[in-house]
Amino acid sequence: FTTMAEEDIVATSNVQVFIRVRPFVPWEKEAALRAGQPPRSVVQMAGPTTTLLDPDARWEPKEKFVFDHCFWSLDPSPDSGRRMLQSDVYTVVGAQLLDSIMNGYNACLFAYGQTGSGK
């Protein structure tokens, strides 16, 4: 019985992580407008980097994360000039996953998020 070194496991695995920021739901927009402000996300995305902002600290960056791909689904993004739709997510994630399955590889899609958020 042999075991693989940890570096070998990482080198041979193919785990990809994608993130999507969902659009505002109506009650979020309404609450912001009642407060006299436009809705504002605590998330910024630039390429594969997602930055969390701290609204209690004048919207300063709080934490940064890097993913394989980030999908911006709020207003048009600064990168692409448009918001990403479910069909865009499928094109990048779903089609690739189905190709792998059809080629005989095991595949798993784990979707986590708020109910009704478009998983």
Side-chain angles (χ1 to χ4, degrees):
F1 179 73
T2 61
T3 60
M4 295 177 74
E6 194 170 326
E7 305 90 272
D8 294 333
I9 293 171
V10 172
T12 59
S13 67
N14 192 11
V15 175
Q16 296 180 10
V17 180
F18 302 90
I19 184 171
R20 176 179 180 252
V21 175
R22 65 169 173 76
F24 288 115
V25 293
W27 70 265
E28 290 171 321
K29 290 179 182 178
E30 292 166 7
L33 294 174
R34 278 195 307 273
Q37 304 171 17
R40 184 166 180 190
S41 177
V42 297
V43 176
Q44 285 182 338
M45 290 181 168
T49 303
T50 296
T51 303
L52 300 182
L53 306 175
D54 187 351
D56 296 327
R58 298 175 5 159
W59 298 92
E60 292 294 319
K62 187 175 181 177
E63 295 185 64
K64 288 187 178 191
F65 303 92
V66 178
F67 300 96
D68 291 296
H69 194 94
C70 299
F71 297 98
W72 184 256
S73 295
L74 292 172
D75 295 326
S77 79
D79 289 342
S80 69
R82 67 184 187 90
R83 57 186 213 107
M84 302 299 276
L85 305 172
Q86 285 293 91
S87 58
D88 298 314
V89 175
Y90 171 78
T91 299
V92 174
V93 180
Q96 176 183 344
L97 191 67
L98 287 175
D99 284 344
S100 294
I101 292 168
M102 296 307 286
N103 287 321
Y105 293 97
N106 292 327
C108 176
L109 175 65
F110 176 76
Y112 175 82
Q114 181 177 352
T115 300
S117 64
K119 297 178 290 300

